[in-house]
Amino acid sequence: MAKTAIITGGGSGLGQSTALRLAQEGINIAVVDISEKGGNETVEKVKALGPDAIFIRADVSKAQEVKNYVDKTVEHFGSIDYFFNNAGISGSGKQFLDTDIEEIEQIVGINMLGALYGLRYVAEVMVKNGGGSIVNTASSAGVIGQETVVTYSATKHGIVGMTKSLVAEYAKDGLRVNAVAPGPTETPMVKAYFDANPKMKQSAEEGIPQKRLGTADEVAELVAFLLTSKAQYINGDVIRIDGGFTSTK
Ligand code: NAD
């Protein structure tokens, strides 16, 4: 029987590339996003490759909407084998003391609470069904400290913490949970951030040993490897994919 994956933030960037990469392996996809346009676009692209796909609109910072996307997926596909817990936003790029409280609440709400709610409801289904595999999206900012991303960095270090601790509790129940920590990767999110902060783009590329940004397809390849059975004994790990960026810090 075909496997099923939920992908949050599936309407763009890393989420969309991963949906298409998994679809190439015949995996059905529940695309979750706040953007209807992006979500539906991914659904069409997945279906063109063969597998079934549905779009479920949700704001991941709202627990009820998270529960709804989990319920709808089980209703439609019968189970959840894989979960790419990926939806996230960056931030304004301001220094921390210039950041307003609304921005802090928004980033924590989506990146941190949204990821925790997803784990809470998806892992419940997986454990009940004998296991499953999860990849959470951290970031270089979840591994090292950097300027102008204090709140974002707090949420991404949080992703690393939830990844490790979930394994401590539920690996025995068949759950594998890993995180990817991409460096700056060419997606719409990063383009918007660098358009607002042009000097940051140049310095980002200069600071990467491979002297270029990553691509969404490179990250999708890693996520697909971690999610599927090829990575059976990798658990609780945080895999950096950043052209050497964090290794030089
Ligand atoms: P993106 O903006 O291209 O895609 C993010 C998707 O998440 C969008 O479709 C957006 O509509 C959706 N989204 C935003 N808020 C949401 C919400 N409240 N509920 C549901 N969906 C929501 O960005 P991306 O670069 O693909 O980012 C994906 C993840 O990767 C994020 O967690 C981000 O922090 C992380 N990340 C990105 C980079 C990078 O350089 N691109 C590096 C490290 C980590």
Side-chain angles (χ1 to χ4, degrees):
M1 206 175 114
K3 305 274 192 193
T4 298
I6 296 180
I7 300 183
T8 66
S12 176
L14 305 186
Q16 185 175 81
S17 288
T18 301
L20 302 183
R21 178 64 187 78
L22 294 178
Q24 283 167 16
E25 302 204 12
I27 296 166
N28 296 326
I29 314 282
V31 179
V32 174
D33 207 291
I34 200 166
S35 154
E36 228 155 280
K37 185 169 176 284
N40 284 323
E41 181 187 291
T42 303
V43 165
E44 291 316 310
K45 289 184 173 182
V46 167
K47 284 184 169 170
L49 291 169
D52 191 10
I54 54 169
F55 170 60
I56 307 160
R57 191 186 174 280
D59 175 347
V60 298
S61 69
K62 309 230 162 75
Q64 249 342 89
E65 298 187 21
V66 172
K67 183 163 187 329
N68 180 60
Y69 78 62
V70 173
D71 290 347
K72 287 264 156 62
T73 302
V74 174
E75 222 172 273
H76 187 85
F77 292 111
S79 71
I80 308 164
D81 302 285
Y82 309 125
F83 180 36
F84 185 31
N85 194 12
N86 164 73
I89 57 169
S90 54
S92 60
K94 288 181 185 159
Q95 297 270 313
F96 186 58
L97 299 185
D98 298 324
T99 308
D100 56 41
I101 296 299
E102 287 72 24
E103 180 179 336
I104 294 173
E105 287 176 347
Q106 190 195 24
I107 297 174
V108 172
I110 296 171
N111 293 9
M112 181 99 128
L113 294 180
L116 277 171
Y117 298 154
L119 293 172
R120 172 64 184 79
Y121 291 117
V122 172
E124 187 168 38
V125 173
M126 287 179 166
V127 166
K128 202 170 76 191
N129 291 345
S133 176
I134 297 172
V135 171
N136 298 315
T137 304
S139 165
S140 297
V143 182
I144 58 167
Q146 284 173 281
E147 273 182 84
T148 72
V149 289
V150 170
T151 306
Y152 181 79
S153 178
T155 65
K156 294 302 186 181
H157 277 76
I159 293 280
V160 170
M162 59 186 92
T163 300
K164 293 178 178 173
S165 294
L166 207 59
V167 166
E169 288 189 20
Y170 297 106
K172 66 175 185 339
D173 300 303
L175 214 59
R176 283 197 310 106
V177 190
N178 292 291
V180 291
T185 308
E186 277 180 305
T187 65
M189 181 182 99
V190 158
K191 196 177 173 311
Y193 182 80
F194 281 146
D195 283 352
N197 309 276
K199 278 195 193 142
M200 293 287 290
K201 181 171 190 209
Q202 202 187 352
S203 80
E205 285 173 339
E206 277 166 10
I208 297 168
Q210 285 185 224
K211 302 294 173 209
R212 67 166 176 88
L213 303 184
T215 70
D217 286 349
E218 287 169 327
V219 176
E221 195 60 39
L222 173 62
V223 175
F225 170 75
L226 289 171
L227 281 179
T228 58
S229 57
K230 290 168 195 148
Q232 273 311 316
Y233 205 53
I234 301 178
N235 215 344
D237 214 338
V238 182
I239 314 284
R240 296 172 296 153
I241 174 159
D242 61 12
F245 175 55
T246 53
S247 72
T248 56
K249 300 291 167 196

